[in-house]
Amino acid sequence: MSTKTVYFIEGDGIGPEVWGAARPVIDAALEKAYGGDKKIEWIELLAGEKAYKETGEYLPKATLDTLAKAQLAIKGPLQTPVGKGIRSLNVTLRQVFDLYACIRPIRYFEGIESPVKRPDLVDIVVFRENTEDVYAGIEWSSESPEAKKVIDFLVNEMGAKIDPAAGVGIKPITPAGSKRLVRRALDYALDQKRDLVTLVHKGNIMKFTEGGFRQWGYDLAEEDYAGKVVKEGEDAEGKVVINDRIADAMFQELLMRPEQYSVVATTNLNGDYLSDALAAQVGGLGLAPGVNMGDKLAIYEATHGTAPTIAGKDLANPGSILLSGAMLLENNGMEEASDLIINAVEKSLAAKRVTVDLASQITGAEQVGCKEFGEIILANL
């Protein structure tokens, strides 16, 4: 028998509801697939509002110390406390543990009615850089002494033209950060036999940050993947192709020709937009799994927010955290259990008894609560 330890954080808002509906499905899938030979030991960690009520801290030291030694965790959405001096609990976890790759596989589930004509053509994995760009940005407010000092330097020392009343921000993007993200995307494509990795950027405007990301990705492919990865237009037989697209053009491409793309590697803000836009084509964030992954620790998570307006009302969709759990199983040698969950979700959608977010997208659907939807998926295992 093999047992993996997975730490879980319920999350805020709808977090406890979606986790409560999803966890029994994950446990049942493991039991059905392996009959007790493969198990997960769940250990709860505190973060967010629950942690604050019990410890007076939103991210207790005990939680951070445990995660520093951990390999696997899963979490619900965390609310960033307003006016508490914390920028974002989610971003803090990513930066403290250097979870530099946000990986989001986006695919179509039969039965979902979409705002696009051919949602069934969407099967794309987005690799979003997690620790740089605007999410690690530094900014100063308009008319502040700091902004005036930076503007003065840029104008007088660097010859820039900036309105003296401007707010000022800096977005750092590095060769090392870009290359390790692109490396993960290329390794994934090679391992999963996907034939294309697309670098998405705004390098036509921001040539040394966004454009740097593009160039560093190509440099990595040429230096470390010779014979395995080729540029667009070269002989691609038996190899992975690497190409690039401008971010705004890529939005149109993913709406009109999603079948032409397979793996996307991109900067933080671009990845945020693109992954959410892709999810909207196939049912929304309620069916979108994700993981924030570093070299030592992977935190799987619901990709939606805390949805405080529906918290406690049994309206939330547990699909995102459940499919993130299935992703965790797949990535850790429990593919059979993961497949059981995916198939059960598909059966449940086909039966048209779904939560409110999905019922609004499926003609003739019956709305059920979060808890009942979890039970329906469980029965369909």
Side-chain angles (χ1 to χ4, degrees):
M1 185 181 77
S2 66
T3 300
K4 285 196 176 290
T5 298
V6 179
Y7 297 93
F8 73 91
I9 296 169
E10 284 189 338
D12 298 323
I14 61 173
E17 295 171 77
V18 296
W19 176 241
R23 177 175 166 177
V25 179
I26 299 171
D27 287 335
L30 284 166
E31 177 62 29
K32 182 168 184 178
Y34 308 114
D37 289 338
K38 293 183 180 182
K39 292 185 176 182
I40 285 179
E41 178 189 17
W42 301 106
I43 300 176
E44 185 174 10
L45 296 178
L46 295 178
E49 294 292 339
K50 186 175 183 179
Y52 187 76
K53 288 176 182 177
E54 295 191 23
T55 70
E57 298 178 282
Y58 287 99
L59 268 179
K61 184 176 184 300
T63 294
L64 295 173
D65 288 346
T66 299
L67 288 174
K69 301 174 185 176
Q71 293 180 312
L72 294 171
I74 189 168
K75 60 177 279 295
L78 289 172
Q79 180 68 38
T80 297
V82 177
K84 302 290 186 179
I86 297 174
R87 186 175 189 179
S88 165
L89 296 177
N90 296 306
V91 172
T92 298
L93 285 170
R94 294 169 194 168
Q95 292 181 344
V96 167
F97 298 109
D98 200 22
L99 306 177
Y100 59 85
C102 177
I103 306 169
R104 290 180 56 180
I106 299 135
R107 48 157 289 183
Y108 175 71
F109 287 93
E110 188 69 34
I112 291 293
E113 295 174 16
S114 167
V116 298
K117 292 180 180 179
R118 293 294 306 275
D120 55 301
L121 299 178
V122 175
D123 181 12
I124 295 171
V125 184
V126 177
F127 284 73
R128 168 192 172 198
E129 205 291 319
N130 235 357
T131 62
E132 300 188 337
D133 196 15
V134 295
Y135 280 71
I138 306 164
E139 60 176 353
W140 300 276
S141 62
S142 170
E143 304 283 7
S144 67
E146 295 86 357
K148 290 178 179 179
K149 190 173 183 179
V150 173
I151 291 170
D152 181 69
F153 171 78
L154 292 173
V155 170
N156 294 318
E157 299 293 329
M158 306 299 291
K161 293 183 179 180
I162 304 176
D163 188 313
V168 181
I170 295 173
K171 52 177 278 179
I173 296 180
T174 68
S178 300
K179 285 184 177 182
R180 66 180 181 175
L181 185 279
V182 175
R183 184 184 299 280
R184 273 207 180 260
L186 290 173
D187 287 345
Y188 176 86
L190 288 163
D191 182 63
Q192 298 296 316
K193 295 180 170 51
R194 287 180 173 251
D195 59 0
L196 177 65
V197 173
T198 302
L199 308 174
V200 179
H201 59 92
K202 191 63 178 171
N204 57 326
I205 303 299
M206 302 293 287
K207 299 184 184 302
F208 306 116
T209 49
E210 301 272 339
F213 175 86
R214 169 191 177 277
Q215 187 58 52
W216 298 322
Y218 278 128
D219 290 346
L220 174 74
E222 184 176 351
E223 293 162 2
D224 291 4
Y225 292 86
K228 298 179 182 178
V229 177
V230 297
K231 290 182 179 179
E232 189 172 35
E234 297 177 352
D235 181 12
E237 186 175 354
K239 300 178 180 69
V240 171
V241 174
I242 186 170
N243 65 2
D244 73 278
R245 296 290 184 268
I246 301 297
D248 48 318
M250 189 63 170
F251 269 92
Q252 178 172 272
E253 287 289 290
L254 293 180
L255 285 166
M256 299 180 67
R257 289 175 282 273
E259 74 280 4
Q260 295 185 12
Y261 298 91
S262 181
V263 176
V264 168
T266 188
T267 53
N268 202 316
L269 185 58
N270 290 330
D272 198 4
Y273 293 151
L274 288 172
S275 56
D276 281 10
L278 278 166
Q281 294 176 229
V282 295
L285 293 179
L287 293 175
V291 59
N292 295 304
M293 189 175 288
D295 292 329
K296 296 180 180 179
L297 172 64
I299 301 181
Y300 295 77
E301 67 173 1
T303 57
H304 52 69
T306 58
T309 59
I310 63 169
K313 298 180 180 179
D314 195 35
L315 293 172
N317 182 353
S320 178
I321 198 163
L322 175 59
L323 292 171
S324 294
M327 189 180 175
L328 183 155
L329 298 178
E330 180 184 2
N331 291 346
N332 289 278
M334 295 172 274
E335 294 89 348
E336 297 86 355
S338 177
D339 289 342
L340 284 172
I341 293 173
I342 299 295
N343 291 335
V345 169
E346 289 181 330
K347 289 179 183 177
S348 302
L349 293 172
K352 297 189 176 185
R353 298 182 64 225
V354 294
T355 49
V356 60
D357 60 313
L358 299 175
S360 66
Q361 302 179 65
I362 301 174
T363 302
E366 175 190 347
Q367 180 182 325
V368 301
C370 176
K371 185 174 185 294
E372 186 175 355
F373 190 45
E375 292 168 349
I376 290 169
I377 297 171
L378 183 62
N380 280 322
L381 284 173

